[in-house]
Structures are given as C-alpha cells and as structure tokens.
Amino acid sequence: MTTTTDTVRVSERLDALPFTRRHGRILAGSGLGWALDAMDVGLISFVIAALSVQWQLAPTQASWIASAGFAGMAIGASLGGLLADRFGRRHVFALTLLVYGVATGASALVGGLAALLVLRFIVGLGLGAELPVASTYVSEFAPARIRGRVIVFLEAFWAVGWTAAAVIGYLVVPSSADGWRWAFALGAIPAVYALIVRWGLPESPRWLAARGRNTEAVAIVRSFEAAAGRVSLEPSEEGEPASVPSPRPRIRALWAPALRARTASLWVLWFCVNFSYYGAFIWIPTILVAQGYDLVRSFGFTLIITLAQLPGYAVAAWLIESWGRRATLATFLAGSAVSAVLFGTASGEVAVIAAGMALSFFNLGAWGALYAATPEAYPTALRATGAGWAAGVGRIASILAPLAVPPLLGLGGAPLLFIVFAAFFAVAVVAALFLREQRGRALA
C-alpha cells in the first residue's frame, strides 16, 4: 500500500532537482495554454468596443458579453479543480483547451447577441478550468526553492497573450466590419497546436504518488533526474490506489480548522482582485472611446498600457523569492490601489497612458504572486480543488464587475469607478497579510 513516505520521497526528489530542460518544457507547454486564455479574454475588450458600435448595443448588453464568459469561468474553475484532483492534472488540462478552441472558433460565425452569449459561456467553461489546473500542475513539478518564481513566469505568459490580443485588436478588429470575427478565428487556431503540446506532457508525479501509482510517479521523477544528469537506483513499488473522497467532503475539507484561515484569505483575495482587474481592463478601450478618443487611438493606448505587464511580472518574479509571497502580493496590491485612483482622475494622453501603465504593472505583478501563493496553500489531495474554488469565487466577481461598470460610470464617471476598484484592492491588501508564508517550503 502507498504510504505518506512514498509521496514524501517523490516530493523530496523533485525538490532536489535543478531547473532542467524538461521543467522548461512543462512551463512552456502550460504557458502556451495560459497565453491563449489571456488572448481570448483580452480580445473581448476590443470586440465589445467594436460590437457596441456595429450592433448598436446598450451598455448593459455589451457588459453581458464579458459577464457570460466569466459565468462559465466560475463554473469551469470550480469543476476543473475537482476533476483534476480526481482524474489527474494532464487530462483535464487538455480538455479545457478543446472546449475553448471549439467554442472560440464557433464565436466567429455568430449572427446575433444571443448566440454569442451562449458561446462565450462555453468558452468560459474551458478557460475557467485552465488557469487553476495549470498553476497547480506546474507548482507540483517546480523545485521548492524556486517554485514561486516559476509560477510567476507561468503567469507572465498572460502578458504575452494579452499583448497578442492588443495587437490583434489594434490591427484586425478595426480593419473591417468582420474584423472581430477574424479576431475570434485567430484565437482558435493556436489552440490546436497547444492541445498537441499538452498531450505530450507527463502527469504530475506528486498526484500519481498520492493516488497510489508510485511506479508511474517514480518513472517520471527518474526522467527528470536523467535530464539533470543524475542517476537514481532507488526501487519503487506500485501501491494500492488511495481512497478518494467524494467532491462534497473534499470541498468541506477546505474549511477544516487547519485550512480555514488560508481559504478565507484566498477567497477574499480572488474576489477583490478579479473585480478590480476585469472591471478595469475589460472596459478600458470602451471608456477611452467614451472620453472622446476614436476607436483606433483607444486601442493603441490599450496596447501601450498592456506592455507594462511584462516588467510587472519580472519584478514580481524576483521579489517573490526575496521578500516572500505575502510581502510581494501586499506591495503590488497597494500599488494597484494607488494606480487605480491616478488612472480614474487622469486627464490628457500622457497622464492616461502613464497611470494605465502603472496600473498594468502593479496589477499583473499581483496576479503573479497570487497564482504562486494559491496552489501551495493546500496539500496535494486538495490542491487543484482549493485553487479551483478560489478561482471560482473570483470569477463571481468578474461576472459582477462588467455589469457594475455602466451604472458606476453613470453615477460618477471614471473617477468614482476607479476609486471603487482601488477600494477592492485595499481590502485585498489586508487579506494578503493573513496568508501563510510558503517561500522555500516543500509542498505537503
């Protein structure tokens, strides 16, 4: 029978490894899917701005295009985590891309709002499951001493995808009446390649060991040791499959006394960061158009603002192993709060771009730290479930945020809207201080 010692031995051997080419393949294969997710979410901000004019949509109708996708994400994140803990990271990982690719390609063919909303919901199911499963998967391969940095680099693929979306939004969406259709089509094509890459990745050895499949787990560990030039003569035995709790007890386990505080902190963090991020970045092109900038210029501003995400990730990746998860996350969230106020009150092109770049820098750095901290807060048997449910709670906020933007703009314009976003960031700072610091610690 598999014992805790078997699982610990696999974990120790993984943590003792240097970062190898095989780790890089895991990171790149997972990051490609991550970038596609970002590209899809980013494209929606440009599609909404274009369709608002072309289909003469009311602000509430336009906001539902974003919220329908986020509703699917909320369900996808919760179910994806449960399925990944039950059936494995790799298979669920590949399934998410299949769902996303088919629904995104079909979105290019829709003729009306209702069909687009249905397909956006289905796209959301795939995207919602993708991110927490990906971060769980990569964290289970990364050596403990650099795990946080590796996850921030994974999250940095988001900036690559969002930048691609901004380029497509700037060059393709305004090019013709069907520009938004071509944008969706371009988003679907790379999913085919990503799906092929995803199937070539190994299953998580930590998950295999926890499930009693120690022989398979050790075989994968040995392949990584070989890539690092190490030879292990340690024998392995196949254990009996571990008993798997049903989904309901597994969800209740997130609120056991030992995990209650970290689950509460993570749920508050995910809710607040999602509300402010998606409320702001989905609507930035539309807000700029409403302030008098034409469609092409507003898309150009958004592209410049998006580029600031990359240095945000780079700084967060450095600080997360120097300062730790908690301090890095709290600092970037505080910077996000200040930047949100500055952006909401900015006037003139230079001020708008500078404040937007600051918001992009700090907000995406915070995302990197949050994705690093979330999966490592839970033991292997609950890791994907914990990460998935935290993301699912966050997606509730991402549903509400686009719907809240039109009435808030009507009440007080951009200044009030971004003060509200800053308040959510401030609450997130407090929640971050209650997280357990996991820098350099082995995964349970």
Side-chain angles (χ1 to χ4, degrees), residues 137-164:
Y137 177 74
V138 175
S139 72
E140 291 180 343
F141 278 96
R145 66 190 175 279
I146 58 169
R147 185 175 58 242
R149 188 164 294 159
V150 170
I151 298 302
V152 176
F153 284 140
L154 171 66
E155 166 67 1
F157 278 89
W158 185 270
V160 176
W162 200 283
T163 302

Side-chain angles (χ1 to χ4, degrees), residues 79-162:
L79 290 179
L82 289 168
L83 292 173
D85 278 338
R86 177 67 180 85
F87 298 106
R89 298 10 176 165
R90 186 173 70 101
H91 295 305
V92 176
F93 211 6
L95 180 62
T96 61
L97 274 178
L98 181 63
V99 172
Y100 152 76
V102 172
T104 299
S107 298
L109 305 175
V110 298
L113 181 61
L116 181 59
L117 293 179
V118 171
L119 287 170
R120 291 308 305 166
F121 176 81
I122 297 173
V123 168
L125 291 175
L127 295 183
E130 160 82 20
L131 301 183
V133 175
S135 59
T136 296
Y137 177 74
V138 175
S139 72
E140 291 180 343
F141 278 96
R145 66 190 175 279
I146 58 169
R147 185 175 58 242
R149 188 164 294 159
V150 170
I151 298 302
V152 176
F153 284 140
L154 171 66
E155 166 67 1
F157 278 89
W158 185 270
V160 176
W162 200 283

Side-chain angles (χ1 to χ4, degrees), residues 131-422:
L131 301 183
V133 175
S135 59
T136 296
Y137 177 74
V138 175
S139 72
E140 291 180 343
F141 278 96
R145 66 190 175 279
I146 58 169
R147 185 175 58 242
R149 188 164 294 159
V150 170
I151 298 302
V152 176
F153 284 140
L154 171 66
E155 166 67 1
F157 278 89
W158 185 270
V160 176
W162 200 283
T163 302
V167 171
I168 294 171
Y170 180 67
L171 297 177
V172 177
V173 174
S175 64
S176 69
D178 290 328
W180 63 272
R181 297 184 188 274
W182 286 109
F184 278 138
L186 288 171
I189 292 172
V192 177
Y193 174 71
L195 186 61
I196 295 171
V197 171
R198 189 69 51 80
W199 276 114
L201 299 179
E203 183 54 87
S204 163
R206 296 181 198 264
W207 179 83
L208 289 169
R211 297 280 297 179
R213 295 160 61 177
N214 205 51
T215 300
E216 295 174 67
V218 171
I220 295 171
V221 173
R222 282 176 173 164
S223 70
F224 277 76
E225 289 172 335
R230 300 180 180 180
V231 178
S232 174
L233 301 177
E234 184 172 341
S236 62
E237 294 181 1
E238 185 72 45
E240 297 177 9
S243 60
V244 181
S246 63
R248 186 171 297 175
R250 192 183 291 130
I251 296 168
R252 281 205 301 265
L254 300 178
W255 292 95
L259 299 177
R260 190 176 298 152
R262 66 189 76 174
T263 295
S265 296
L266 286 171
W267 284 22
V268 171
L269 275 162
W270 277 85
F271 189 92
C272 291
V273 175
N274 269 275
F275 188 92
S276 296
Y277 174 77
Y278 287 107
F281 282 87
I282 289 294
W283 278 92
I284 279 179
T286 304
I287 291 171
L288 292 175
V289 169
Q291 290 179 347
Y293 299 104
D294 61 46
L295 199 63
V296 174
R297 180 171 293 184
S298 70
F299 286 2
F301 287 176
T302 304
L303 173 58
I304 296 171
I305 289 170
T306 299
L307 293 175
Q309 295 181 8
L310 289 169
Y313 285 126
V315 174
W318 175 63
L319 291 177
I320 202 163
E321 299 296 359
S322 302
W323 289 3
R325 282 64 162 144
R326 194 165 46 203
T328 301
L329 181 55
T331 299
F332 275 82
L333 287 169
S336 299
V338 173
S339 300
V341 174
L342 293 176
F343 185 82
T345 56
S347 59
E349 293 184 6
V350 174
V352 167
I353 292 174
M357 291 181 72
L359 180 60
S360 190
F361 175 92
F362 284 109
N363 199 181
L364 276 296
W367 270 118
L370 182 57
Y371 268 107
T374 300
E376 63 185 22
Y378 297 100
T380 298
L382 292 171
R383 185 164 296 122
T385 299
W389 273 79
V393 169
R395 297 308 178 189
I396 295 173
S398 64
I399 297 167
L400 299 175
L403 298 175
V405 168
L408 286 172
L409 284 173
L411 284 173
L416 173 62
L417 176 66
F418 281 87
I419 286 173
V420 170
F421 293 152

